[in-house]
Each structure stands twice: as C-alpha cells, then as structure tokens.
Amino acid sequence: MQLTFVKREELSPCVWEYYFKPERAIDYVPGQYIDVILDNVEDDPRGRGRVFTLTSLPSDELLSFVVKFQEPVSLYKQYLELLQEGDRAHCNNAMGDLILPKDTARPLVFVAGGIGIASYASMLKKMLAKREERDVYLFYALRSKYEQIFKDLLNSYPLQLKTIVIAPNRLSAQQIMHSSPPNALIYLSGSERFVEGLSQNLETLGVDQSQMVYDYFEGYDEL
Ligand SMILES: Cc1cc2nc3c(=O)[nH]c(=O)nc-3n(C[C@H](O)[C@H](O)[C@H](O)COP(=O)(O)OP(=O)(O)OC[C@H]3O[C@@H](n4cnc5c(N)ncnc54)[C@H](O)[C@@H]3O)c2cc1C
C-alpha cells in the first residue's frame, strides 16, 4: 500500500506525530500498528521498515503515528526526518492484538511508558467518538513532565483514574494492582524493559497472563 507523506507535528521535545495519506483506506482497528517502509533507506542494519502504532482513527482520511528521536538516531529515522510533503513510502496490512475487548463492561487498565501512550490514542478517540463510556484506569510513566503527549485527549475522556508518574518516581506493579479492579484487562505499552519488568511483577502479584495485553516498542532502550 502506497503512502504519501503529508506533514509532521512536534508533540513534545524530540517526539513528532507523522501524517500520511494512504492510496486507499487501510483496514485496521484502534491499537493496531503498521510497518512503514522507506524505499530509499540504504545501509540501515535494521532495514527499510519500522513498526509504528496508529494514533489515527480508521475513519480518518490520514494515517498518523508518533515517533521519538533519540540521538544518535538510526539511518532510517534520519530519512524519516528528511521527508518532504508528497514523498512516498509504503506499508503492509495492519497488525496487532492490543485492541479493545468486545465486552464494554470489562474494566480496562492502560499502562504507558513514555510514547507507549500512543497505543491508547486511537482507542480513546474511538470511545469518545462513539460516546462509549468504559471504566478506564490510566497509569502514565514519564522521564520528565515535558515529555507528556496527548494531554487534551487524556483530559477529554472520562477516565476513572489518571495517575502520572514522573521520574525519579517509578510506577510499580503494586500501585497498579492497588488502584484498579481485580477483573480488569491490563494493557502495557512502552519500551521492552518497561513492559517486561511490569508484566513479570504483576504476574508475581498473582495477575494471570490472560489478563494482560502488551506491545513493547522494540529498538528503544528507554522511552
Ligand atoms: C508493536 C510495536 C509498535 C511500535 N510502535 C511504535 C510507535 O508508535 N512509535 C515509535 O517511535 N516506535 C514504535 N515501535 C518501535 C519502532 O518500530 C522502532 O523499533 C523504534 O522506533 C526504534 O527505531 P530505530 O531502530 O530507527 O532506532 P532509533 O530510535 O533511531 O534508535 C533507537 C536507539 O538506538 C540508538 N541508536 C540508533 N542508531 C545508533 C547507532 N548507529 N549507534 C548507536 N546507537 C544507535 C539510539 O540512540 C536509540 O537509543 C514499535 C515497535 C513495535 C514492535
């Protein structure tokens, strides 16, 4: 599927939201991701494609996703930074299981590390658009308050709880367990270290693997 670059917008220092126009609508559900391929990338050891979680709604004309730039950036991201309006890229079909459950009565716990919050943007937009009031508990861990993104979106959805944890404070599995319903579905999104660490600790506290859904943004040390 061919994509045409439209624009990018800075959301916080070194975090940008990218917008592409697909040649035709892509079939996806909120929470899913696509592999964005830049044909002219040469010599990047990780190749010409990177996976990004869609922050747009399936009904939107444009696809959007959030990208973090940490120096030194990869060759791939150097090309991404140089994109000009009208430049082409392409992607494959959307993928991913980090999506909303059909059961709208099931409480949801959204846990995000840094730009991992991007995994919940499209879901929250969908629930707002459909006036779907689910019980959502949000835990958002950040290295600094300046890195927070999607503030308006997080403030516009009637969350049951919004806990923002800023370093050096650390979000713990106990904190999540203590402040959320026992039958909740727990979503984890962030760097591999963040997601792995929390999922193991939650399991130690008795949370069954079937109660957790996660995507980790590989390739990042910290988010
Ligand atoms: C399911 C899923 C969803 C994802 N969703 C998103 C998303 O929405 N947004 C997103 O940004 N990413 C997302 N990712 C991760 C994304 O696919 C990339 O792996 C990630 O953005 C890192 O990109 P990069 O390899 O181009 O490296 P960079 O981000 O450029 O670099 C990654 C790290 O490697 C270091 N590094 C890079 N090049 C060098 C070098 N030459 N020498 C030394 N150090 C170097 C950087 O300093 C940085 O610390 C997702 C991944 C998965 C699996």
Side-chain angles (χ1 to χ4, degrees), residues 13 28 36 48 51 59 62-63 119 121 135 140 160-161 180 185 193 197 200 202 213:
Y28 68 97
V36 177
R48 294 188 167 128
V51 164
S59 53
L62 302 181
L63 297 176
S119 292
D135 289 350
Y140 188 7
Q160 294 295 314
L161 177 74
S180 41
L185 193 55
R193 190 164 43 184
Q200 281 159 17
L202 285 164
V213 189

Side-chain angles (χ1 to χ4, degrees), residues 46 50-51 53 66 70-74 77 216 218-220:
R46 294 190 61 212
R50 296 293 188 278
V51 164
T53 302
V66 162
Q70 292 169 323
E71 293 299 335
V73 294
S74 65
K77 287 200 177 159
Y216 49 75
E218 68 191 4
Y220 287 116

Side-chain angles (χ1 to χ4, degrees), residues 157-169:
Y157 191 79
L159 298 165
Q160 294 295 314
L161 177 74
K162 181 169 72 175
T163 304
I164 299 195
V165 180
I166 297 177
N169 300 322

Side-chain angles (χ1 to χ4, degrees), residues 11-155:
L11 299 185
S12 73
C14 64
V15 175
W16 293 76
E17 189 156 33
Y18 275 72
Y19 294 82
F20 285 84
K21 183 163 178 33
E23 63 182 318
R24 60 184 179 277
I26 290 190
D27 183 18
Y28 68 97
V29 294
Q32 291 194 305
Y33 52 85
I34 54 171
D35 191 10
V36 177
I37 295 133
L38 301 177
D39 294 318
N40 50 5
V41 171
E42 299 292 346
D43 309 325
D44 183 305
R46 294 190 61 212
R48 294 188 167 128
R50 296 293 188 278
V51 164
F52 297 109
T53 302
L54 292 165
T55 56
S56 46
L57 275 173
S59 53
D60 290 347
E61 189 203 345
L62 302 181
L63 297 176
S64 63
F65 52 85
V66 162
V67 182
K68 182 160 190 165
F69 293 85
Q70 292 169 323
E71 293 299 335
V73 294
S74 65
L75 282 170
Y76 175 92
K77 287 200 177 159
Q78 290 172 36
Y79 278 88
L80 203 57
E81 265 179 314
L82 295 172
L83 281 178
Q84 300 298 315
E85 188 180 347
D87 285 351
R88 298 289 161 79
H90 65 267
C91 70
N92 302 317
N93 295 338
M95 298 167 279
D97 309 320
L98 194 145
I99 60 175
L100 291 168
K102 289 199 173 44
D103 174 8
T104 56
R106 179 100 187 254
L108 308 175
V109 173
F110 289 170
V111 181
I115 66 161
I117 194 78
S119 292
Y120 310 120
S122 185
M123 291 196 242
L124 290 166
K125 289 177 184 176
K126 178 192 172 185
M127 293 191 282
L128 276 169
K130 295 182 71 177
R131 299 183 191 289
E132 218 175 74
E133 292 213 7
R134 300 188 189 209
D135 289 350
V136 179
Y137 299 73
L138 176 73
F139 297 87
Y140 188 7
L142 292 161
R143 292 187 310 173
S144 95
K145 65 179 180 185
Y146 304 108
E147 292 191 356
Q148 189 179 345
I149 57 175
F150 295 120
K151 273 189 189 160
D152 295 345
L153 178 60
L154 301 182
N155 289 336

